Each structure stands twice: as structure tokens, then as C-alpha cells.
Amino acid sequence: MLSLYCIQFFIFSTCVHIFTVFTYLVYYSDLVTTKYFHEIQPEYDYIIVGSGTAGSIIAHRLATETNYTFLVVEAGSRSNALLEAPVLGPFFHGSILDWQYETVPQEYACFAMKNNKCKLAQGKIIGGSSKLNNMIHFRGNISHYVEWFHEKFTKEFITEQFEFVEKNILHLNDMQYQSELADAVLAAAEELKYEKLGT
Ligand SMILES: *[C@@H]1O[C@H](CO)[C@@H](O)[C@H](O)[C@H]1NC(C)=O
Ligand SMILES: *[C@@H]1O[C@H](CO)[C@@H](O)[C@H](O)[C@H]1NC(C)=O
């Protein structure tokens, strides 16, 4: 029995190592090809800084709906077909395709982590965090957007914009499967009077 676990462990860690080597190959080969084979023009109509979820959407719309010239600047590498499989997302956490941020030590959270510091996975790749977040979309806190725009837009207006993007551009669906454990966690959060996000 023990030897069976050993074999499983061996196979699994070999796969993880192969995948890690693969991400390094993708990252550095892209760095080299971008450096030597892409010409940068002296002038653009727009420069998009960061090709994460938002930057990629803006770039796509500029490319398909306008004739503006634009440059997209991204610190991470380009993606490739294998990296498109959502099930592989968790393998990117902590990899070279992740900014590898962590929180400051938490007083009320991250109790299972060393020094109560949680990892904050953020994609360093074209597509950004949408590449490694298990296809979960999370609306920001609307009050913060109101603040960022110096109250130029109301909560209702910003919520409408979110709804438009989520429906027409991101094509979001509700989760298709939910386990009993998830139901229990949500019920517990409600019992503890945690607010629903996005309000
Ligand atoms: C872009 O340019 C093409 C060719 O000049 C033109 O037919 C088209 O209408 C332009 N599109 C927009 C959105 O301006
Ligand atoms: C949203 O942000 C506001 C202002 O910072 C804060 O009072 C509120 O608790 C936040 N809501 C959630 C659900 O985090």
C-alpha cells in the first residue's frame, strides 16, 4: 500500500516538475522572441499598460472595432495552447507566471498559513489573473469605484457597467456545480452576518 502511495507521489511530483520547466521555457523563449523579432513604432494612438483581464479586453475592442494604433505593454509572457486549459490554472500559482505576492500577516485570516500570510496569485502573463483563477470572476467593491472616480459616477451607473461587461463581453455563467461543502460555508458566512460582495 505504502509503495503505491510512493509511486503516485513520484508520478505527481514528476508531472509538476515537467510543468514547471515548461513554464520557464515558455517565459524565456517568449522574452527572446519579443526582444529580437518585434518592432516598436515611434508613435501610437494608445498605450495599454498591462494585458491582464481588463487590458486584454480593451486591446481586443480597439483591434476589432476601431482603426486606432496601439501598443500593449505586458511584463509576463504570451500564453500558448496548453496554458489555456483552466484545470492547469492552479499549477501557475507561485510559478514564474505569477507575481507571487503575499499579504501582510493577518490578524483575523490565513490561520492555516505560515505567519498568517496568504498568497495572492496574480497572473504575469497575457490574460493576467484570468489565466490562473480557475475561471472565477469576482466583482470589485462598487464603493471603491465610486471613490476612484471622485463620485463622478453613481453606484447604480457603475453597477450597470459591470452588468454590461459581464453579460456581453465576458459572457459569464453562474457556477454549474456546487458541492454540499460550499453550501455549508455560504450558510455559515450568512449566519455570521458577512455581507455579500459588490454592494
Ligand atoms: C477603418 O478603416 C477602414 C478602411 O479605411 C474603413 O473601411 C473602416 O470604416 C474604418 N473603421 C472604423 C471603425 O473607423
Ligand atoms: C466596500 O467598501 C466600503 C468602503 O471602503 C466598505 O465600507 C464596505 O465594508 C466594503 N464592502 C465589502 C463587502 O467589503
Side-chain angles (χ1 to χ4, degrees):
M1 202 60 195
L2 186 65
S3 65
L4 185 66
Y5 283 134
C6 284
I7 293 169
Q8 280 179 346
F9 181 73
F10 179 75
I11 293 174
F12 186 74
S13 36
T14 307
C15 291
V16 170
H17 278 100
I18 292 173
F19 193 74
T20 308
V21 171
F22 175 71
T23 56
Y24 273 92
L25 273 178
V26 169
Y27 185 86
Y28 285 108
S29 66
D30 195 53
L31 209 70
V32 171
T33 50
T34 314
K35 189 156 171 59
Y36 294 107
F37 299 104
H38 286 268
E39 232 177 87
I40 291 187
Q41 307 297 323
E43 219 174 79
Y44 292 95
D45 295 321
Y46 290 102
I47 296 177
I48 299 170
V49 181
S51 188
T53 316
S56 301
I57 289 174
I58 294 169
H60 177 74
R61 295 198 69 183
L62 279 174
T64 53
E65 295 173 27
T66 76
N67 285 330
Y68 288 122
T69 59
F70 61 93
L71 174 72
V72 182
V73 185
E74 167 59 43
S77 73
R78 254 171 306 194
S79 187
N80 73 28
L82 188 60
L83 305 187
E84 300 293 322
V87 72
L88 294 177
F91 284 107
F92 300 159
H93 293 196
S95 79
I96 196 168
L97 306 176
D98 176 3
W99 281 98
Q100 303 181 11
Y101 294 133
E102 55 183 17
T103 64
V104 294
Q106 297 293 300
E107 206 172 324
Y108 303 109
C110 309
F111 294 129
M113 309 297 169
K114 246 191 209 162
N115 301 329
N116 290 15
K117 285 170 154 188
C118 273
K119 303 260 181 240
L120 283 180
Q122 292 270 291
K124 193 178 176 186
I125 181 170
I126 287 188
S129 301
S130 72
K131 279 279 182 295
L132 45 74
N133 65 358
N134 308 320
M135 300 183 83
I136 296 169
H137 167 77
F138 206 83
R139 243 192 227 178
N141 180 331
I142 304 284
S143 309
H144 295 170
Y145 292 84
V146 174
E147 251 176 71
W148 292 337
F149 288 111
H150 304 291
E151 308 199 0
K152 197 170 146 200
F153 304 114
T154 61
K155 257 186 181 185
E156 291 68 34
F157 178 80
I158 293 171
T159 307
E160 265 170 37
Q161 307 313 305
F162 266 107
E163 280 164 3
F164 177 83
V165 170
E166 287 164 0
K167 180 157 178 268
N168 300 296
I169 297 173
L170 298 176
H171 305 292
L172 295 182
N173 293 316
D174 270 340
M175 266 191 290
Q176 306 290 309
Y177 309 101
Q178 189 161 322
S179 66
E180 279 174 31
L181 178 63
D183 289 336
V185 170
L186 289 176
E190 206 166 296
E191 199 177 314
L192 291 170
K193 306 223 179 322
Y194 279 101
E195 249 181 279
K196 258 194 178 167
L197 272 178
T199 52

Short mmCIF file of all heavy atoms in Angstrom, two decimals, residues 115-171:
data_model
loop_
_atom_site.label_atom_id
_atom_site.label_comp_id
_atom_site.label_asym_id
_atom_site.label_seq_id
_atom_site.Cartn_x
_atom_site.Cartn_y
_atom_site.Cartn_z
N ASN A 115 3.02 32.29 9.29
CA ASN A 115 2.96 33.69 9.73
C ASN A 115 1.63 34.36 9.36
O ASN A 115 1.59 35.58 9.19
CB ASN A 115 4.09 34.53 9.10
CG ASN A 115 5.45 34.00 9.47
OD1 ASN A 115 5.62 33.44 10.55
ND2 ASN A 115 6.40 34.12 8.56
N ASN A 116 0.57 33.56 9.16
CA ASN A 116 -0.75 34.09 8.77
C ASN A 116 -0.68 34.95 7.51
O ASN A 116 -1.40 35.94 7.38
CB ASN A 116 -1.35 34.94 9.90
CG ASN A 116 -1.76 34.10 11.09
OD1 ASN A 116 -1.35 32.94 11.19
ND2 ASN A 116 -2.55 34.66 11.97
N LYS A 117 0.21 34.59 6.59
CA LYS A 117 0.31 35.34 5.33
C LYS A 117 -0.28 34.48 4.21
O LYS A 117 0.20 33.38 3.96
CB LYS A 117 1.77 35.60 4.98
CG LYS A 117 2.43 36.68 5.80
CD LYS A 117 3.91 36.64 5.51
CE LYS A 117 4.58 37.96 5.74
NZ LYS A 117 5.97 37.92 5.26
N CYS A 118 -1.31 35.01 3.52
CA CYS A 118 -1.89 34.28 2.40
C CYS A 118 -1.16 34.65 1.11
O CYS A 118 -0.64 35.75 0.99
CB CYS A 118 -3.36 34.63 2.24
SG CYS A 118 -4.43 33.61 3.23
N LYS A 119 -1.18 33.71 0.18
CA LYS A 119 -0.62 34.01 -1.15
C LYS A 119 -1.69 34.73 -1.96
O LYS A 119 -2.87 34.40 -1.89
CB LYS A 119 -0.29 32.71 -1.88
CG LYS A 119 0.67 31.83 -1.11
CD LYS A 119 2.06 31.98 -1.66
CE LYS A 119 3.04 31.11 -0.93
NZ LYS A 119 4.12 31.87 -0.29
N LEU A 120 -1.26 35.73 -2.73
CA LEU A 120 -2.18 36.43 -3.63
C LEU A 120 -1.73 36.19 -5.06
O LEU A 120 -0.87 36.92 -5.56
CB LEU A 120 -2.17 37.93 -3.34
CG LEU A 120 -2.93 38.40 -2.10
CD1 LEU A 120 -2.82 39.90 -1.97
CD2 LEU A 120 -4.38 37.98 -2.16
N ALA A 121 -2.25 35.16 -5.67
CA ALA A 121 -1.82 34.82 -7.03
C ALA A 121 -2.31 35.89 -8.00
O ALA A 121 -3.49 36.25 -8.00
CB ALA A 121 -2.38 33.46 -7.41
N GLN A 122 -1.40 36.43 -8.81
CA GLN A 122 -1.74 37.46 -9.80
C GLN A 122 -0.99 37.11 -11.07
O GLN A 122 0.25 37.01 -11.05
CB GLN A 122 -1.26 38.84 -9.33
CG GLN A 122 -2.02 39.37 -8.13
CD GLN A 122 -3.23 40.17 -8.54
OE1 GLN A 122 -3.09 41.25 -9.08
NE2 GLN A 122 -4.41 39.65 -8.31
N GLY A 123 -1.72 36.92 -12.16
CA GLY A 123 -1.10 36.44 -13.39
C GLY A 123 -0.08 37.40 -13.98
O GLY A 123 -0.34 38.58 -14.13
N LYS A 124 1.10 36.85 -14.32
CA LYS A 124 2.14 37.64 -15.00
C LYS A 124 2.28 37.01 -16.39
O LYS A 124 3.24 36.34 -16.70
CB LYS A 124 3.45 37.53 -14.22
CG LYS A 124 4.49 38.52 -14.63
CD LYS A 124 5.73 38.34 -13.76
CE LYS A 124 6.84 39.25 -14.18
NZ LYS A 124 8.06 38.95 -13.42
N ILE A 125 1.23 37.23 -17.17
CA ILE A 125 1.10 36.56 -18.46
C ILE A 125 0.01 37.31 -19.22
O ILE A 125 -0.82 37.97 -18.59
CB ILE A 125 0.71 35.08 -18.23
CG1 ILE A 125 0.59 34.31 -19.53
CG2 ILE A 125 -0.56 34.93 -17.43
CD1 ILE A 125 0.46 32.81 -19.35
N ILE A 126 0.03 37.22 -20.54
CA ILE A 126 -1.06 37.88 -21.27
C ILE A 126 -2.37 37.18 -20.90
O ILE A 126 -2.46 35.96 -20.96
CB ILE A 126 -0.77 37.87 -22.78
CG1 ILE A 126 0.33 38.90 -23.04
CG2 ILE A 126 -2.04 38.19 -23.58
CD1 ILE A 126 0.65 39.19 -24.46
N GLY A 127 -3.35 37.99 -20.49
CA GLY A 127 -4.57 37.42 -19.95
C GLY A 127 -4.61 37.60 -18.44
O GLY A 127 -5.66 37.54 -17.82
N GLY A 128 -3.45 37.84 -17.84
CA GLY A 128 -3.36 38.16 -16.42
C GLY A 128 -3.95 37.09 -15.52
O GLY A 128 -3.84 35.90 -15.80
N SER A 129 -4.61 37.54 -14.47
CA SER A 129 -5.12 36.59 -13.49
C SER A 129 -6.22 35.71 -14.04
O SER A 129 -6.52 34.66 -13.47
CB SER A 129 -5.62 37.34 -12.26
OG SER A 129 -4.57 38.09 -11.72
N SER A 130 -6.83 36.11 -15.16
CA SER A 130 -7.87 35.24 -15.73
C SER A 130 -7.26 33.90 -16.14
O SER A 130 -7.98 32.92 -16.34
CB SER A 130 -8.53 35.90 -16.94
OG SER A 130 -7.67 35.91 -18.04
N LYS A 131 -5.95 33.84 -16.25
CA LYS A 131 -5.29 32.60 -16.65
C LYS A 131 -5.12 31.62 -15.48
O LYS A 131 -4.87 30.45 -15.69
CB LYS A 131 -3.89 32.89 -17.21
CG LYS A 131 -3.91 33.35 -18.64
CD LYS A 131 -4.03 32.14 -19.55
CE LYS A 131 -4.00 32.52 -20.99
NZ LYS A 131 -5.18 33.32 -21.35
N LEU A 132 -5.19 32.12 -14.25
CA LEU A 132 -4.88 31.22 -13.14
C LEU A 132 -5.89 31.25 -12.01
O LEU A 132 -5.62 30.81 -10.92
CB LEU A 132 -3.44 31.46 -12.62
CG LEU A 132 -2.95 32.88 -12.39
CD1 LEU A 132 -3.56 33.47 -11.18
CD2 LEU A 132 -1.45 32.90 -12.34
N ASN A 133 -7.06 31.81 -12.29
CA ASN A 133 -8.02 31.93 -11.18
C ASN A 133 -9.18 30.96 -11.29
O ASN A 133 -10.28 31.25 -10.82
CB ASN A 133 -8.51 33.38 -11.06
CG ASN A 133 -9.31 33.78 -12.27
OD1 ASN A 133 -9.45 32.98 -13.21
ND2 ASN A 133 -9.84 34.98 -12.28
N ASN A 134 -8.96 29.82 -11.93
CA ASN A 134 -9.97 28.77 -12.04
C ASN A 134 -11.28 29.27 -12.64
O ASN A 134 -12.35 28.79 -12.31
CB ASN A 134 -10.28 28.16 -10.66
CG ASN A 134 -9.02 27.72 -9.96
OD1 ASN A 134 -8.13 27.16 -10.59
ND2 ASN A 134 -8.93 27.99 -8.68
N MET A 135 -11.19 30.26 -13.53
CA MET A 135 -12.35 30.80 -14.23
C MET A 135 -13.37 31.46 -13.30
O MET A 135 -14.55 31.54 -13.63
CB MET A 135 -13.03 29.73 -15.09
CG MET A 135 -12.11 29.14 -16.13
SD MET A 135 -12.92 27.96 -17.18
CE MET A 135 -13.69 29.03 -18.36
N ILE A 136 -12.88 31.91 -12.17
CA ILE A 136 -13.80 32.60 -11.24
C ILE A 136 -13.69 34.10 -11.47
O ILE A 136 -12.59 34.65 -11.52
CB ILE A 136 -13.46 32.27 -9.78
CG1 ILE A 136 -13.66 30.78 -9.53
CG2 ILE A 136 -14.29 33.11 -8.82
CD1 ILE A 136 -13.09 30.31 -8.21
N HIS A 137 -14.82 34.76 -11.64
CA HIS A 137 -14.83 36.22 -11.79
C HIS A 137 -15.40 36.82 -10.52
O HIS A 137 -16.35 36.32 -9.96
CB HIS A 137 -15.69 36.61 -12.99
CG HIS A 137 -16.00 38.07 -13.05
ND1 HIS A 137 -15.09 38.99 -13.48
CD2 HIS A 137 -17.12 38.76 -12.72
CE1 HIS A 137 -15.63 40.19 -13.43
NE2 HIS A 137 -16.86 40.08 -12.97
N PHE A 138 -14.82 37.90 -10.11
CA PHE A 138 -15.14 38.49 -8.84
C PHE A 138 -15.30 39.99 -9.05
O PHE A 138 -14.38 40.66 -9.48
CB PHE A 138 -13.91 38.23 -7.95
CG PHE A 138 -14.18 38.18 -6.52
CD1 PHE A 138 -14.65 37.02 -5.94
CD2 PHE A 138 -13.94 39.29 -5.73
CE1 PHE A 138 -14.89 36.96 -4.59
CE2 PHE A 138 -14.18 39.23 -4.38
CZ PHE A 138 -14.65 38.07 -3.80
N ARG A 139 -16.50 40.49 -8.77
CA ARG A 139 -16.70 41.93 -8.93
C ARG A 139 -16.02 42.67 -7.80
O ARG A 139 -16.08 42.24 -6.66
CB ARG A 139 -18.19 42.21 -8.80
CG ARG A 139 -18.79 42.77 -10.04
CD ARG A 139 -20.16 43.30 -9.74
NE ARG A 139 -21.08 42.83 -10.74
CZ ARG A 139 -22.37 43.10 -10.72
NH1 ARG A 139 -22.90 43.80 -9.73
NH2 ARG A 139 -23.14 42.66 -11.68
N GLY A 140 -15.39 43.81 -8.13
CA GLY A 140 -14.80 44.62 -7.07
C GLY A 140 -15.88 45.27 -6.20
O GLY A 140 -17.07 45.16 -6.51
N ASN A 141 -15.44 45.91 -5.15
CA ASN A 141 -16.36 46.60 -4.25
C ASN A 141 -16.79 47.91 -4.93
O ASN A 141 -15.97 48.80 -5.15
CB ASN A 141 -15.62 46.86 -2.93
CG ASN A 141 -16.47 47.57 -1.91
OD1 ASN A 141 -17.37 48.33 -2.27
ND2 ASN A 141 -16.18 47.34 -0.64
N ILE A 142 -18.08 48.02 -5.23
CA ILE A 142 -18.57 49.16 -6.02
C ILE A 142 -18.26 50.49 -5.33
O ILE A 142 -17.94 51.48 -6.00
CB ILE A 142 -20.10 49.02 -6.28
CG1 ILE A 142 -20.42 47.69 -6.96
CG2 ILE A 142 -20.64 50.20 -7.09
CD1 ILE A 142 -20.09 47.60 -8.42
N SER A 143 -18.29 50.50 -4.01
CA SER A 143 -17.99 51.76 -3.29
C SER A 143 -16.60 52.26 -3.64
O SER A 143 -16.36 53.47 -3.69
CB SER A 143 -18.04 51.54 -1.78
OG SER A 143 -19.22 50.92 -1.42
N HIS A 144 -15.66 51.33 -3.87
CA HIS A 144 -14.30 51.76 -4.19
C HIS A 144 -14.24 52.43 -5.57
O HIS A 144 -13.49 53.38 -5.76
CB HIS A 144 -13.33 50.57 -4.16
CG HIS A 144 -13.20 49.99 -2.78
ND1 HIS A 144 -12.56 48.81 -2.53
CD2 HIS A 144 -13.66 50.44 -1.58
CE1 HIS A 144 -12.61 48.56 -1.23
NE2 HIS A 144 -13.28 49.53 -0.64
N TYR A 145 -15.04 51.93 -6.51
CA TYR A 145 -15.06 52.54 -7.84
C TYR A 145 -15.62 53.96 -7.75
O TYR A 145 -15.15 54.87 -8.42
CB TYR A 145 -15.88 51.70 -8.83
CG TYR A 145 -15.22 50.38 -9.15
CD1 TYR A 145 -15.41 49.29 -8.32
CD2 TYR A 145 -14.40 50.23 -10.26
CE1 TYR A 145 -14.80 48.07 -8.58
CE2 TYR A 145 -13.79 49.03 -10.54
CZ TYR A 145 -13.99 47.95 -9.70
OH TYR A 145 -13.38 46.77 -9.95
N VAL A 146 -16.64 54.13 -6.93
CA VAL A 146 -17.23 55.46 -6.74
C VAL A 146 -16.14 56.41 -6.22
O VAL A 146 -15.99 57.53 -6.72
CB VAL A 146 -18.43 55.40 -5.76
CG1 VAL A 146 -18.96 56.79 -5.44
CG2 VAL A 146 -19.54 54.52 -6.32
N GLU A 147 -15.34 55.92 -5.28
CA GLU A 147 -14.25 56.72 -4.72
C GLU A 147 -13.21 57.05 -5.79
O GLU A 147 -12.77 58.20 -5.90
CB GLU A 147 -13.55 55.90 -3.64
CG GLU A 147 -13.78 56.37 -2.22
CD GLU A 147 -13.10 55.40 -1.27
OE1 GLU A 147 -11.85 55.38 -1.20
OE2 GLU A 147 -13.84 54.64 -0.62
N TRP A 148 -12.79 56.03 -6.55
CA TRP A 148 -11.74 56.24 -7.56
C TRP A 148 -12.14 57.30 -8.60
O TRP A 148 -11.30 58.03 -9.09
CB TRP A 148 -11.41 54.93 -8.28
CG TRP A 148 -10.74 53.94 -7.41
CD1 TRP A 148 -10.04 54.18 -6.27
CD2 TRP A 148 -10.73 52.51 -7.59
NE1 TRP A 148 -9.58 53.01 -5.73
CE2 TRP A 148 -9.99 51.97 -6.51
CE3 TRP A 148 -11.26 51.65 -8.53
CZ2 TRP A 148 -9.78 50.60 -6.37
CZ3 TRP A 148 -11.04 50.30 -8.40
CH2 TRP A 148 -10.32 49.78 -7.33
N PHE A 149 -13.44 57.34 -8.92
CA PHE A 149 -13.90 58.32 -9.90
C PHE A 149 -14.37 59.61 -9.23
O PHE A 149 -15.08 60.41 -9.83
CB PHE A 149 -15.04 57.73 -10.75
CG PHE A 149 -14.57 56.69 -11.73
CD1 PHE A 149 -14.90 55.35 -11.57
CD2 PHE A 149 -13.78 57.05 -12.82
CE1 PHE A 149 -14.45 54.39 -12.47
CE2 PHE A 149 -13.34 56.09 -13.72
CZ PHE A 149 -13.67 54.76 -13.54
N HIS A 150 -13.98 59.81 -7.97
CA HIS A 150 -14.32 61.03 -7.23
C HIS A 150 -15.81 61.32 -7.31
O HIS A 150 -16.22 62.47 -7.51
CB HIS A 150 -13.51 62.23 -7.75
CG HIS A 150 -12.03 61.98 -7.70
ND1 HIS A 150 -11.34 61.90 -6.52
CD2 HIS A 150 -11.13 61.75 -8.68
CE1 HIS A 150 -10.07 61.65 -6.77
NE2 HIS A 150 -9.92 61.54 -8.08
N GLU A 151 -16.61 60.27 -7.19
CA GLU A 151 -18.07 60.38 -7.15
C GLU A 151 -18.67 61.00 -8.40
O GLU A 151 -19.78 61.53 -8.37
CB GLU A 151 -18.51 61.13 -5.88
CG GLU A 151 -17.87 60.50 -4.65
CD GLU A 151 -18.54 60.85 -3.34
OE1 GLU A 151 -19.53 61.60 -3.37
OE2 GLU A 151 -18.08 60.35 -2.31
N LYS A 152 -17.91 60.94 -9.51
CA LYS A 152 -18.43 61.43 -10.79
C LYS A 152 -19.55 60.51 -11.28
O LYS A 152 -20.46 60.93 -11.98
CB LYS A 152 -17.27 61.47 -11.79
CG LYS A 152 -17.53 62.31 -13.01
CD LYS A 152 -16.24 62.48 -13.80
CE LYS A 152 -16.53 62.53 -15.27
NZ LYS A 152 -15.34 62.22 -16.08
N PHE A 153 -19.45 59.21 -10.93
CA PHE A 153 -20.47 58.24 -11.32
C PHE A 153 -21.13 57.65 -10.08
O PHE A 153 -20.46 57.43 -9.07
CB PHE A 153 -19.84 57.11 -12.14
CG PHE A 153 -19.11 57.59 -13.35
CD1 PHE A 153 -17.73 57.45 -13.45
CD2 PHE A 153 -19.79 58.20 -14.40
CE1 PHE A 153 -17.05 57.91 -14.57
CE2 PHE A 153 -19.12 58.67 -15.52
CZ PHE A 153 -17.74 58.52 -15.60
N THR A 154 -22.42 57.36 -10.20
CA THR A 154 -23.13 56.79 -9.06
C THR A 154 -22.91 55.28 -9.00
O THR A 154 -22.49 54.66 -9.98
CB THR A 154 -24.64 57.02 -9.18
OG1 THR A 154 -25.08 56.37 -10.38
CG2 THR A 154 -24.99 58.49 -9.23
N LYS A 155 -23.22 54.71 -7.84
CA LYS A 155 -23.16 53.26 -7.64
C LYS A 155 -23.99 52.53 -8.70
O LYS A 155 -23.57 51.52 -9.24
CB LYS A 155 -23.74 52.91 -6.27
CG LYS A 155 -22.71 52.61 -5.22
CD LYS A 155 -23.41 52.12 -3.96
CE LYS A 155 -22.36 51.85 -2.90
NZ LYS A 155 -22.91 51.28 -1.68
N GLU A 156 -25.17 53.08 -8.96
CA GLU A 156 -26.10 52.43 -9.91
C GLU A 156 -25.49 52.39 -11.30
O GLU A 156 -25.55 51.38 -11.98
CB GLU A 156 -27.44 53.18 -9.96
CG GLU A 156 -28.29 53.06 -8.71
CD GLU A 156 -27.70 53.78 -7.50
OE1 GLU A 156 -27.06 54.85 -7.69
OE2 GLU A 156 -27.84 53.27 -6.37
N PHE A 157 -24.86 53.54 -11.70
CA PHE A 157 -24.26 53.61 -13.02
C PHE A 157 -23.13 52.59 -13.14
O PHE A 157 -23.03 51.86 -14.13
CB PHE A 157 -23.74 55.03 -13.28
CG PHE A 157 -23.06 55.19 -14.61
CD1 PHE A 157 -23.82 55.35 -15.76
CD2 PHE A 157 -21.67 55.13 -14.72
CE1 PHE A 157 -23.20 55.48 -17.00
CE2 PHE A 157 -21.05 55.24 -15.95
CZ PHE A 157 -21.82 55.42 -17.09
N ILE A 158 -22.28 52.52 -12.13
CA ILE A 158 -21.13 51.60 -12.18
C ILE A 158 -21.62 50.14 -12.19
O ILE A 158 -21.11 49.32 -12.94
CB ILE A 158 -20.17 51.88 -11.01
CG1 ILE A 158 -19.54 53.26 -11.22
CG2 ILE A 158 -19.09 50.82 -10.92
CD1 ILE A 158 -18.74 53.78 -10.07
N THR A 159 -22.65 49.87 -11.41
CA THR A 159 -23.20 48.51 -11.39
C THR A 159 -23.71 48.13 -12.79
O THR A 159 -23.48 47.02 -13.26
CB THR A 159 -24.35 48.42 -10.36
OG1 THR A 159 -23.86 48.88 -9.12
CG2 THR A 159 -24.85 47.00 -10.20
N GLU A 160 -24.37 49.11 -13.45
CA GLU A 160 -24.86 48.85 -14.83
C GLU A 160 -23.70 48.51 -15.77
O GLU A 160 -23.84 47.63 -16.62
CB GLU A 160 -25.55 50.10 -15.37
CG GLU A 160 -27.05 50.10 -15.19
CD GLU A 160 -27.63 51.47 -15.54
OE1 GLU A 160 -27.13 52.11 -16.48
OE2 GLU A 160 -28.57 51.88 -14.83
N GLN A 161 -22.57 49.23 -15.61
CA GLN A 161 -21.41 48.97 -16.48
C GLN A 161 -20.89 47.56 -16.24
O GLN A 161 -20.56 46.83 -17.17
CB GLN A 161 -20.26 49.97 -16.24
CG GLN A 161 -20.65 51.42 -16.32
CD GLN A 161 -21.50 51.72 -17.55
OE1 GLN A 161 -21.11 51.43 -18.67
NE2 GLN A 161 -22.67 52.28 -17.32
N PHE A 162 -20.82 47.17 -14.96
CA PHE A 162 -20.38 45.81 -14.64
C PHE A 162 -21.29 44.79 -15.31
O PHE A 162 -20.83 43.82 -15.90
CB PHE A 162 -20.40 45.58 -13.13
CG PHE A 162 -19.07 45.84 -12.47
CD1 PHE A 162 -18.86 46.96 -11.70
CD2 PHE A 162 -18.02 44.95 -12.64
CE1 PHE A 162 -17.64 47.19 -11.10
CE2 PHE A 162 -16.80 45.17 -12.05
CZ PHE A 162 -16.61 46.30 -11.27
N GLU A 163 -22.60 45.03 -15.17
CA GLU A 163 -23.56 44.07 -15.72
C GLU A 163 -23.40 43.96 -17.24
O GLU A 163 -23.46 42.86 -17.79
CB GLU A 163 -25.00 44.48 -15.35
CG GLU A 163 -25.31 44.06 -13.92
CD GLU A 163 -26.54 44.73 -13.34
OE1 GLU A 163 -27.22 45.51 -14.06
OE2 GLU A 163 -26.81 44.49 -12.15
N PHE A 164 -23.17 45.10 -17.89
CA PHE A 164 -23.00 45.08 -19.35
C PHE A 164 -21.77 44.25 -19.74
O PHE A 164 -21.85 43.37 -20.60
CB PHE A 164 -22.84 46.52 -19.88
CG PHE A 164 -22.60 46.56 -21.36
CD1 PHE A 164 -23.66 46.48 -22.25
CD2 PHE A 164 -21.30 46.61 -21.87
CE1 PHE A 164 -23.43 46.47 -23.62
CE2 PHE A 164 -21.06 46.60 -23.24
CZ PHE A 164 -22.14 46.53 -24.12
N VAL A 165 -20.64 44.53 -19.07
CA VAL A 165 -19.39 43.83 -19.41
C VAL A 165 -19.52 42.34 -19.11
O VAL A 165 -19.14 41.48 -19.92
CB VAL A 165 -18.20 44.45 -18.63
CG1 VAL A 165 -16.95 43.59 -18.78
CG2 VAL A 165 -17.93 45.86 -19.12
N GLU A 166 -20.10 42.02 -17.96
CA GLU A 166 -20.21 40.61 -17.57
C GLU A 166 -21.09 39.83 -18.54
O GLU A 166 -20.83 38.66 -18.84
CB GLU A 166 -20.76 40.52 -16.14
CG GLU A 166 -19.72 40.94 -15.11
CD GLU A 166 -20.30 41.23 -13.74
OE1 GLU A 166 -21.53 41.11 -13.56
OE2 GLU A 166 -19.51 41.61 -12.85
N LYS A 167 -22.15 40.50 -19.03
CA LYS A 167 -23.10 39.79 -19.90
C LYS A 167 -22.60 39.75 -21.34
O LYS A 167 -22.63 38.69 -21.98
CB LYS A 167 -24.45 40.52 -19.84
CG LYS A 167 -25.52 39.91 -20.68
CD LYS A 167 -26.89 40.31 -20.16
CE LYS A 167 -27.98 39.73 -21.05
NZ LYS A 167 -28.39 40.66 -22.11
N ASN A 168 -22.12 40.90 -21.85
CA ASN A 168 -21.84 40.99 -23.29
C ASN A 168 -20.39 40.76 -23.69
O ASN A 168 -20.12 40.47 -24.85
CB ASN A 168 -22.27 42.37 -23.79
CG ASN A 168 -23.74 42.60 -23.56
OD1 ASN A 168 -24.56 41.91 -24.13
ND2 ASN A 168 -24.07 43.53 -22.69
N ILE A 169 -19.47 40.94 -22.75
CA ILE A 169 -18.06 40.82 -23.14
C ILE A 169 -17.43 39.59 -22.49
O ILE A 169 -16.75 38.81 -23.14
CB ILE A 169 -17.29 42.11 -22.78
CG1 ILE A 169 -17.89 43.26 -23.60
CG2 ILE A 169 -15.80 41.96 -23.06
CD1 ILE A 169 -17.39 44.62 -23.26
N LEU A 170 -17.67 39.40 -21.20
CA LEU A 170 -17.05 38.25 -20.54
C LEU A 170 -17.89 36.98 -20.68
O LEU A 170 -17.40 35.89 -20.50
CB LEU A 170 -16.84 38.54 -19.04
CG LEU A 170 -15.91 39.71 -18.71
CD1 LEU A 170 -15.86 39.93 -17.21
CD2 LEU A 170 -14.49 39.43 -19.22
N HIS A 171 -19.18 37.14 -20.99
CA HIS A 171 -20.12 36.00 -21.13
C HIS A 171 -20.05 35.09 -19.91
O HIS A 171 -19.73 33.90 -20.01
CB HIS A 171 -19.82 35.20 -22.39
CG HIS A 171 -19.82 36.06 -23.62
ND1 HIS A 171 -20.96 36.64 -24.11
CD2 HIS A 171 -18.82 36.46 -24.42
CE1 HIS A 171 -20.66 37.37 -25.19
NE2 HIS A 171 -19.37 37.28 -25.39
#
